Amino acid sequence: MFEKALLIYNGSAGQAETGEQLAILTRTLAPVIGELTLLQTKEQGDAERYCKERAEAVDLLLILGGDGTVHECVNGLAQLAHPPVVGILPGGTCNDFSRSLRMPQQLQQAAEAVVAGQTLTVDIGRMNERHFSNFYGIGLITDTSENINPELKGMIGKLSYFFSALQQVRAAESFAYRMETDDGMVEGEAVMILVANGGFLGTNELPGADQRLTDGLLDIFIIREAGLPLLLEVLGQKTSKQWDPEASSIDYRLSSRVAIHTEQPKRADTDGEVYMETPAELEVLPGRLTFIVGEETK
């Protein structure tokens, strides 16, 4: 039973759809929440501000929205001394971090998972003075994110990411980088660098570490031009069990911290939001936030 809960929902969604979603949630959550406050976002930054100003006064923070809304909330919550338990109710296109938490992707079932109340304290990433829950990436991943057709995304959801990725692969340009990790310095050329805390990208499960949310480490994927066919295999939903990092054209490593420098500033995609550039100092914050989870979570 939660005495007080705050539900932040994305105000950019259609009113009719949002009304139906809120009806489902309030009906399902009422038995386990004494007082539920609803806050609608109206512009970028609202969700982060709501979390900073009001989250410490509740036992449970619920986020109804996609990865962008989750990203804002995490940046507000990570600055708090006593953040509440967080429940993500998937309301976006990919909902990648909620997938990492094994939350059901149907709203009714996700609400039921909140009622069940199973929690997991997980790692959060920090990049310079900002935070991320799922990933930080430069190169091809940023080009893909910036070239997604909004109308196409609205009509066919996650498939728009695949179409955009395929278009960008044809024009992928390599860039020089220098990276410092726990194992020392590495440098070279790549078409994409992905630093992951979560386990999904564009609804597809990433290969790599089994305990990535709780291991105190970041998963680093350095993809050179020769690794692009494998990247498309990952986007094509090959399972992580079919990937052997020792025999891969993708350079994979684990580290608690990552410093990335490029010859020219590279725009970075962070949890699907593009607003930062290299250079970047990244680190993992072990056990920083506690989330509601669905089935057994890695």
mmCIF file of all heavy atoms in Angstrom, residues 116-145:
data_model
loop_
_atom_site.group_PDB
_atom_site.id
_atom_site.type_symbol
_atom_site.label_atom_id
_atom_site.label_comp_id
_atom_site.label_asym_id
_atom_site.label_seq_id
_atom_site.Cartn_x
_atom_site.Cartn_y
_atom_site.Cartn_z
ATOM 1 N N ALA A 116 1.304 -5.271 -7.776
ATOM 2 C CA ALA A 116 2.085 -6.382 -7.210
ATOM 3 C C ALA A 116 3.260 -5.860 -6.391
ATOM 4 O O ALA A 116 3.654 -6.466 -5.387
ATOM 5 C CB ALA A 116 2.573 -7.293 -8.327
ATOM 6 N N GLY A 117 3.846 -4.744 -6.823
ATOM 7 C CA GLY A 117 4.832 -4.050 -6.004
ATOM 8 C C GLY A 117 6.225 -4.634 -5.939
ATOM 9 O O GLY A 117 7.000 -4.293 -5.039
ATOM 10 N N GLN A 118 6.611 -5.476 -6.905
ATOM 11 C CA GLN A 118 7.971 -6.001 -6.904
ATOM 12 C C GLN A 118 8.936 -4.912 -7.357
ATOM 13 O O GLN A 118 8.709 -4.242 -8.374
ATOM 14 C CB GLN A 118 8.088 -7.206 -7.848
ATOM 15 C CG GLN A 118 9.477 -7.841 -7.859
ATOM 16 C CD GLN A 118 9.544 -9.045 -8.785
ATOM 17 O OE1 GLN A 118 8.528 -9.524 -9.282
ATOM 18 N NE2 GLN A 118 10.752 -9.532 -9.020
ATOM 19 N N THR A 119 10.019 -4.695 -6.622
ATOM 20 C CA THR A 119 10.946 -3.602 -6.931
ATOM 21 C C THR A 119 12.374 -4.096 -7.133
ATOM 22 O O THR A 119 12.741 -5.187 -6.695
ATOM 23 C CB THR A 119 10.948 -2.535 -5.818
ATOM 24 O OG1 THR A 119 11.425 -3.126 -4.605
ATOM 25 C CG2 THR A 119 9.554 -1.958 -5.612
ATOM 26 N N LEU A 120 13.163 -3.262 -7.789
ATOM 27 C CA LEU A 120 14.579 -3.536 -7.995
ATOM 28 C C LEU A 120 15.326 -2.206 -7.960
ATOM 29 O O LEU A 120 14.921 -1.244 -8.617
ATOM 30 C CB LEU A 120 14.807 -4.231 -9.343
ATOM 31 C CG LEU A 120 16.248 -4.616 -9.672
ATOM 32 C CD1 LEU A 120 16.711 -5.768 -8.778
ATOM 33 C CD2 LEU A 120 16.369 -5.011 -11.147
ATOM 34 N N THR A 121 16.395 -2.151 -7.186
ATOM 35 C CA THR A 121 17.240 -0.955 -7.137
ATOM 36 C C THR A 121 18.303 -1.085 -8.217
ATOM 37 O O THR A 121 19.062 -2.052 -8.240
ATOM 38 C CB THR A 121 17.875 -0.798 -5.752
ATOM 39 O OG1 THR A 121 16.830 -0.663 -4.778
ATOM 40 C CG2 THR A 121 18.754 0.435 -5.697
ATOM 41 N N VAL A 122 18.353 -0.109 -9.128
ATOM 42 C CA VAL A 122 19.173 -0.257 -10.332
ATOM 43 C C VAL A 122 20.164 0.895 -10.484
ATOM 44 O O VAL A 122 20.055 1.944 -9.843
ATOM 45 C CB VAL A 122 18.288 -0.343 -11.589
ATOM 46 C CG1 VAL A 122 17.241 -1.437 -11.443
ATOM 47 C CG2 VAL A 122 17.614 0.998 -11.899
ATOM 48 N N ASP A 123 21.118 0.666 -11.380
ATOM 49 C CA ASP A 123 22.120 1.670 -11.708
ATOM 50 C C ASP A 123 21.522 2.730 -12.637
ATOM 51 O O ASP A 123 20.605 2.461 -13.414
ATOM 52 C CB ASP A 123 23.308 1.025 -12.437
ATOM 53 C CG ASP A 123 23.935 -0.117 -11.653
ATOM 54 O OD1 ASP A 123 23.777 -0.144 -10.422
ATOM 55 O OD2 ASP A 123 24.579 -0.976 -12.286
ATOM 56 N N ILE A 124 22.096 3.925 -12.568
ATOM 57 C CA ILE A 124 21.767 5.010 -13.480
ATOM 58 C C ILE A 124 23.088 5.580 -14.003
ATOM 59 O O ILE A 124 24.087 5.619 -13.286
ATOM 60 C CB ILE A 124 20.955 6.117 -12.768
ATOM 61 C CG1 ILE A 124 19.579 5.605 -12.381
ATOM 62 C CG2 ILE A 124 20.821 7.353 -13.653
ATOM 63 C CD1 ILE A 124 18.686 5.220 -13.555
ATOM 64 N N GLY A 125 23.105 6.003 -15.256
ATOM 65 C CA GLY A 125 24.309 6.589 -15.825
ATOM 66 C C GLY A 125 24.337 8.095 -15.653
ATOM 67 O O GLY A 125 23.294 8.751 -15.605
ATOM 68 N N ARG A 126 25.551 8.640 -15.552
ATOM 69 C CA ARG A 126 25.707 10.087 -15.520
ATOM 70 C C ARG A 126 26.655 10.490 -16.643
ATOM 71 O O ARG A 126 27.690 9.873 -16.853
ATOM 72 C CB ARG A 126 26.275 10.557 -14.177
ATOM 73 C CG ARG A 126 26.460 12.086 -14.124
ATOM 74 C CD ARG A 126 26.561 12.620 -12.710
ATOM 75 N NE ARG A 126 27.685 12.057 -11.992
ATOM 76 C CZ ARG A 126 27.827 12.129 -10.654
ATOM 77 N NH1 ARG A 126 26.885 12.717 -9.934
ATOM 78 N NH2 ARG A 126 28.877 11.594 -10.063
ATOM 79 N N MET A 127 26.298 11.550 -17.384
ATOM 80 C CA MET A 127 27.126 12.082 -18.477
ATOM 81 C C MET A 127 27.331 13.555 -18.213
ATOM 82 O O MET A 127 26.375 14.335 -18.232
ATOM 83 C CB MET A 127 26.435 11.859 -19.819
ATOM 84 C CG MET A 127 24.988 12.248 -19.773
ATOM 85 S SD MET A 127 24.081 12.017 -21.271
ATOM 86 C CE MET A 127 22.472 12.650 -20.707
ATOM 87 N N ASN A 128 28.558 13.932 -17.960
ATOM 88 C CA ASN A 128 28.841 15.294 -17.525
ATOM 89 C C ASN A 128 27.923 15.624 -16.341
ATOM 90 O O ASN A 128 27.980 14.954 -15.331
ATOM 91 C CB ASN A 128 28.701 16.268 -18.692
ATOM 92 C CG ASN A 128 29.696 15.956 -19.814
ATOM 93 O OD1 ASN A 128 30.717 15.314 -19.588
ATOM 94 N ND2 ASN A 128 29.401 16.402 -21.024
ATOM 95 N N GLU A 129 27.027 16.580 -16.457
ATOM 96 C CA GLU A 129 26.146 16.918 -15.335
ATOM 97 C C GLU A 129 24.718 16.402 -15.529
ATOM 98 O O GLU A 129 23.828 16.744 -14.757
ATOM 99 C CB GLU A 129 26.116 18.441 -15.137
ATOM 100 C CG GLU A 129 27.464 19.050 -14.825
ATOM 101 C CD GLU A 129 28.108 18.416 -13.588
ATOM 102 O OE1 GLU A 129 27.388 18.197 -12.587
ATOM 103 O OE2 GLU A 129 29.320 18.150 -13.618
ATOM 104 N N ARG A 130 24.504 15.579 -16.549
ATOM 105 C CA ARG A 130 23.174 15.034 -16.819
ATOM 106 C C ARG A 130 23.168 13.527 -16.542
ATOM 107 O O ARG A 130 24.207 12.915 -16.289
ATOM 108 C CB ARG A 130 22.771 15.310 -18.274
ATOM 109 C CG ARG A 130 22.694 16.771 -18.629
ATOM 110 C CD ARG A 130 21.513 17.441 -17.955
ATOM 111 N NE ARG A 130 20.247 16.988 -18.523
ATOM 112 C CZ ARG A 130 19.051 17.274 -18.024
ATOM 113 N NH1 ARG A 130 18.958 18.016 -16.936
ATOM 114 N NH2 ARG A 130 17.946 16.836 -18.599
ATOM 115 N N HIS A 131 21.972 12.931 -16.578
ATOM 116 C CA HIS A 131 21.830 11.511 -16.269
ATOM 117 C C HIS A 131 21.094 10.792 -17.391
ATOM 118 O O HIS A 131 20.370 11.414 -18.176
ATOM 119 C CB HIS A 131 21.057 11.326 -14.956
ATOM 120 C CG HIS A 131 21.730 11.940 -13.769
ATOM 121 N ND1 HIS A 131 21.607 13.288 -13.450
ATOM 122 C CD2 HIS A 131 22.550 11.397 -12.822
ATOM 123 C CE1 HIS A 131 22.314 13.549 -12.369
ATOM 124 N NE2 HIS A 131 22.901 12.420 -11.961
ATOM 125 N N PHE A 132 21.274 9.480 -17.464
ATOM 126 C CA PHE A 132 20.544 8.675 -18.436
ATOM 127 C C PHE A 132 20.213 7.324 -17.816
ATOM 128 O O PHE A 132 20.956 6.807 -16.975
ATOM 129 C CB PHE A 132 21.322 8.509 -19.744
ATOM 130 C CG PHE A 132 22.633 7.776 -19.634
ATOM 131 C CD1 PHE A 132 22.727 6.422 -19.929
ATOM 132 C CD2 PHE A 132 23.797 8.445 -19.247
ATOM 133 C CE1 PHE A 132 23.941 5.754 -19.842
ATOM 134 C CE2 PHE A 132 25.014 7.783 -19.151
ATOM 135 C CZ PHE A 132 25.085 6.429 -19.449
ATOM 136 N N SER A 133 19.091 6.781 -18.234
ATOM 137 C CA SER A 133 18.683 5.471 -17.731
ATOM 138 C C SER A 133 19.062 4.365 -18.693
ATOM 139 O O SER A 133 19.490 3.285 -18.276
ATOM 140 C CB SER A 133 17.167 5.440 -17.490
ATOM 141 O OG SER A 133 16.468 5.770 -18.680
ATOM 142 N N ASN A 134 18.946 4.616 -19.990
ATOM 143 C CA ASN A 134 19.074 3.544 -20.971
ATOM 144 C C ASN A 134 20.385 3.568 -21.751
ATOM 145 O O ASN A 134 21.128 2.600 -21.735
ATOM 146 C CB ASN A 134 17.885 3.590 -21.942
ATOM 147 C CG ASN A 134 17.679 2.269 -22.653
ATOM 148 O OD1 ASN A 134 17.745 1.213 -22.024
ATOM 149 N ND2 ASN A 134 17.439 2.311 -23.945
ATOM 150 N N PHE A 135 20.692 4.680 -22.460
ATOM 151 C CA PHE A 135 21.915 4.679 -23.266
ATOM 152 C C PHE A 135 22.391 6.084 -23.595
ATOM 153 O O PHE A 135 21.641 7.066 -23.498
ATOM 154 C CB PHE A 135 21.707 3.902 -24.573
ATOM 155 C CG PHE A 135 20.874 4.638 -25.595
ATOM 156 C CD1 PHE A 135 21.455 5.534 -26.486
ATOM 157 C CD2 PHE A 135 19.501 4.443 -25.676
ATOM 158 C CE1 PHE A 135 20.691 6.234 -27.419
ATOM 159 C CE2 PHE A 135 18.729 5.129 -26.604
ATOM 160 C CZ PHE A 135 19.328 6.028 -27.476
ATOM 161 N N TYR A 136 23.646 6.147 -24.021
ATOM 162 C CA TYR A 136 24.275 7.340 -24.586
ATOM 163 C C TYR A 136 24.971 6.874 -25.855
ATOM 164 O O TYR A 136 25.701 5.877 -25.844
ATOM 165 C CB TYR A 136 25.286 7.922 -23.597
ATOM 166 C CG TYR A 136 26.171 9.021 -24.152
ATOM 167 C CD1 TYR A 136 25.857 10.363 -23.950
ATOM 168 C CD2 TYR A 136 27.324 8.722 -24.877
ATOM 169 C CE1 TYR A 136 26.669 11.376 -24.443
ATOM 170 C CE2 TYR A 136 28.142 9.722 -25.379
ATOM 171 C CZ TYR A 136 27.813 11.050 -25.160
ATOM 172 O OH TYR A 136 28.613 12.039 -25.657
ATOM 173 N N GLY A 137 24.758 7.578 -26.971
ATOM 174 C CA GLY A 137 25.371 7.130 -28.210
ATOM 175 C C GLY A 137 25.737 8.274 -29.127
ATOM 176 O O GLY A 137 25.120 9.341 -29.109
ATOM 177 N N ILE A 138 26.768 8.059 -29.948
ATOM 178 C CA ILE A 138 27.172 9.038 -30.958
ATOM 179 C C ILE A 138 27.375 8.321 -32.282
ATOM 180 O O ILE A 138 27.551 7.105 -32.343
ATOM 181 C CB ILE A 138 28.460 9.793 -30.557
ATOM 182 C CG1 ILE A 138 29.624 8.807 -30.330
ATOM 183 C CG2 ILE A 138 28.233 10.642 -29.332
ATOM 184 C CD1 ILE A 138 30.966 9.501 -30.052
ATOM 185 N N GLY A 139 27.323 9.110 -33.366
ATOM 186 C CA GLY A 139 27.518 8.551 -34.695
ATOM 187 C C GLY A 139 26.205 8.141 -35.324
ATOM 188 O O GLY A 139 25.225 8.891 -35.326
ATOM 189 N N LEU A 140 26.171 6.941 -35.859
ATOM 190 C CA LEU A 140 25.018 6.445 -36.606
ATOM 191 C C LEU A 140 23.726 6.511 -35.799
ATOM 192 O O LEU A 140 22.665 6.844 -36.336
ATOM 193 C CB LEU A 140 25.280 5.002 -37.055
ATOM 194 C CG LEU A 140 24.148 4.297 -37.807
ATOM 195 C CD1 LEU A 140 23.833 5.024 -39.101
ATOM 196 C CD2 LEU A 140 24.510 2.844 -38.071
ATOM 197 N N ILE A 141 23.811 6.231 -34.518
ATOM 198 C CA ILE A 141 22.585 6.221 -33.707
ATOM 199 C C ILE A 141 21.972 7.617 -33.624
ATOM 200 O O ILE A 141 20.742 7.769 -33.665
ATOM 201 C CB ILE A 141 22.869 5.653 -32.295
ATOM 202 C CG1 ILE A 141 21.549 5.447 -31.557
ATOM 203 C CG2 ILE A 141 23.816 6.546 -31.504
ATOM 204 C CD1 ILE A 141 21.696 4.643 -30.288
ATOM 205 N N THR A 142 22.809 8.654 -33.548
ATOM 206 C CA THR A 142 22.286 10.023 -33.519
ATOM 207 C C THR A 142 21.716 10.412 -34.875
ATOM 208 O O THR A 142 20.650 11.035 -34.960
ATOM 209 C CB THR A 142 23.393 11.006 -33.118
ATOM 210 O OG1 THR A 142 23.957 10.587 -31.870
ATOM 211 C CG2 THR A 142 22.846 12.413 -32.969
ATOM 212 N N ASP A 143 22.418 10.041 -35.944
ATOM 213 C CA ASP A 143 21.910 10.323 -37.292
ATOM 214 C C ASP A 143 20.550 9.675 -37.499
ATOM 215 O O ASP A 143 19.642 10.268 -38.088
ATOM 216 C CB ASP A 143 22.897 9.808 -38.341
ATOM 217 C CG ASP A 143 24.249 10.509 -38.272
ATOM 218 O OD1 ASP A 143 24.294 11.635 -37.740
ATOM 219 O OD2 ASP A 143 25.239 9.918 -38.738
ATOM 220 N N THR A 144 20.404 8.454 -37.004
ATOM 221 C CA THR A 144 19.131 7.750 -37.130
ATOM 222 C C THR A 144 18.034 8.477 -36.380
ATOM 223 O O THR A 144 16.944 8.709 -36.902
ATOM 224 C CB THR A 144 19.271 6.313 -36.591
ATOM 225 O OG1 THR A 144 20.270 5.616 -37.344
ATOM 226 C CG2 THR A 144 17.954 5.560 -36.699
ATOM 227 N N SER A 145 18.322 8.847 -35.140
ATOM 228 C CA SER A 145 17.317 9.508 -34.313
ATOM 229 C C SER A 145 16.878 10.837 -34.920
ATOM 230 O O SER A 145 15.689 11.177 -34.911
ATOM 231 C CB SER A 145 17.876 9.742 -32.907
ATOM 232 O OG SER A 145 16.928 10.340 -32.069
#
